[in-house]
Amino acid sequence: MDRPESFSGDSSSLLSEEQLRCSICLDVFTDPLTTPCGHNFCKSCLTQCWEKSQHCYCPLCKEKFTKKPELKINTTLREVADLFKKKHGPDKPEVLCDACTGEKLKALKSCLDCHATYCKTHLEPHNQVPSFKKHKLIKPVENLEDYICQKHERPLELFCRDDQMCVCQFCTEGDHKNHNTVPIEKESRERKTQLGNTQRDVQQKIQDRLRKIQEIKHAVELSKRSTKEEKADSVEVFTALIRSIERSQAELLKAMEEKQKAAERQAEGLIKELEQEITVLKMRDTELEQLSHTEEHLHLLQIYSSMCSPPHTKNWTEISINTDLSGDTVRTALSQLQHTLNEKLTKTLNDKLKETVSTELKRIQQYAVDVTLDPDTAHPKLVLSADGKQVTYGDTRQKLPDTPQRFDKCVMVLGKQSFSSGRFYYEVQVRGKTAWDLGVMTESINRKGNIKLSPEDGFWTVWLRNGSEYEALTRPAVPLTLREKVETVGVFVDYDEGLVSFYDVKSRSHIYSFTGQSFTEKLYPYFSTCTNEGGKNSAPLIISPIRKTE
């Protein structure tokens, strides 16, 4: 890749011409100022930019400054810019005197009547001789014939607007008679004004595209950062799950081992008892064997009763060892493990989702705009606050002019502000309401009679009905399941990306997004209080100041 061309022949110089240009006027810096964010602008350019805006911000990266910075001229950058201007100043060839016979001197003026260019000395008659004083003098030019009418050999002093060409005075008495002619100087001034307007338009387009480049780069950087964070979060989530599984597996194996050892201990005890009983029974068996062959009849009769009763032993019929380690016990343990893991996974994912949405809200809140309600669009039963931030439904129909902008049947109102590019965000408090509509709509919507809400009809909205029924108004509508009742709705629009998103600001959760839309008209914020429903829905809709999420 080639290195950028340096403004100096010195190979150690690293600044290119592009780096020395102000991004506002696109010219080399004049008295450059450096903003706190590190960008540079001409002093006059930045001053004019801030005078036209309510806020002080960087025209390049859009960073806002809560307090107007006290900026000083960057003297080092000014010296570099001045050096660049000096080295790259206009290097036009000198126009030489036509009257000089020896070494030709630098010309001072060209005479359209004499058809010649003169140095200071040879121009002297034009300052002294009365007849020469009437000649038309201009700055010295090499192509003097271009300034003289080839037909009449007279100075081209007029411009014919009918034929769009320069003419002399004699031309207006011939081919250009009765044409609309004006002095060349006047036409030139008007053309310069037009060129200036065109140049400003071109510069504005350049600025718009430079800003778009910065927006795209910023979006890519945010995406890269977000992807990196999401990857880290995913690794963290699954690492935690793996550790949880390993711990649960270890706990299960340990429980199984302990149960096995307990069974072994139980078996040892039972075997010991059985062996003791066997010893007692064998002794009785031996005694009975001896008595069956005894000749001592008196002794037999004396111990007969005691010998006929069997020795005291345990009933072993119902006694067994619990060795079911692969049946119901394992299945129950695995079921408990799965339930625990599901709970942990759900909690972890919900926490991460909440954290992701919270981060997203922080990002989009930087596009917050000041929205106020437009009384000229409000349905006659809607009552707006003096500051244009609240709207309530009134039972009495007000006497208001029925203009094309006003909704006459549906209780709706629009924001005053419209948007036809970029991103914007605002928040609306809906606390205490059982029904409402919020979103954006296109400018050309007919505001009379019944109105259908769908993207096909120019509306991108969500609503609440019956206190708990949320829907995104697509065609057909999409029911929305929300974990809790929404108190404040955040509305975010990316016009260029065709995105309209809704957020529950309090719970920091996503409600719904319309994606892949194609906007071709101005978009207006849209509000509907719905009716009072017998007093149940009398709370107002309030456009809230933005409180950034923590």
Side-chain angles (χ1 to χ4, degrees), residues 285-300:
D285 180 61
T286 300
E287 291 175 352
L288 291 172
E289 178 66 24
Q290 292 174 352
L291 286 175
S292 66
H293 296 92
T294 186
E295 295 296 332
E296 298 180 5
H297 304 298
L298 179 60
H299 178 67
L300 174 63

Side-chain angles (χ1 to χ4, degrees), residues 395-455:
D395 294 324
T396 304
R397 191 179 183 93
Q398 305 170 80
K399 293 182 179 180
L400 299 172
D402 187 19
T403 60
Q405 294 80 20
R406 190 179 304 283
F407 294 97
D408 67 344
K409 190 166 185 179
C410 298
V411 284
M412 301 173 176
V413 63
L414 302 181
K416 283 185 178 180
Q417 294 72 22
S418 64
F419 305 90
S420 55
S421 64
R423 304 180 179 103
F424 61 94
Y425 173 82
Y426 58 94
E427 294 178 356
V428 184
Q429 180 182 306
V430 295
R431 186 188 305 130
K433 295 192 68 62
T434 57
W436 47 260
D437 307 351
L438 289 174
V440 294
M441 59 162 269
T442 55
E443 182 179 31
S444 63
I445 295 300
N446 180 15
R447 305 172 192 185
K448 307 303 179 183
N450 291 323
I451 296 174
K452 294 180 180 179
L453 303 182
S454 73

Side-chain angles (χ1 to χ4, degrees), residues 1-8 13-30 32 38-42 60 77 80-81 84-85 88 203 206-207 209-211 213-214 217:
M1 180 176 178
D2 294 334
R3 296 176 63 185
E5 182 182 352
S6 170
F7 73 86
S8 171
S13 176
L14 299 177
L15 287 177
S16 67
E17 178 178 352
E18 189 63 30
Q19 292 171 298
L20 292 173
R21 289 192 181 278
C22 170
S23 62
I24 297 178
C25 67
L26 303 178
D27 205 350
V28 177
F29 290 121
T30 300
H39 295 119
N40 300 295
F41 306 93
C42 295
L60 192 59
L77 186 58
V80 175
F84 176 87
K85 291 177 182 177
H88 288 72
Q203 290 176 348
I206 292 172
Q207 290 302 310
R209 281 147 183 78
L210 286 172
R211 281 193 291 270
I213 289 173
Q214 291 300 320
K217 288 182 178 179

Side-chain angles (χ1 to χ4, degrees), residues 109-136:
K109 291 287 183 179
S110 292
C111 178
L112 297 180
D113 293 276
C114 297
H115 302 178
T117 299
Y118 302 110
C119 64
K120 182 177 181 181
T121 301
H122 291 105
L123 186 65
E124 196 62 29
H126 286 77
N127 298 323
Q128 302 293 333
V129 180
S131 59
F132 283 178
K133 287 183 178 181
K134 297 179 181 180
H135 286 192
K136 180 75 173 180

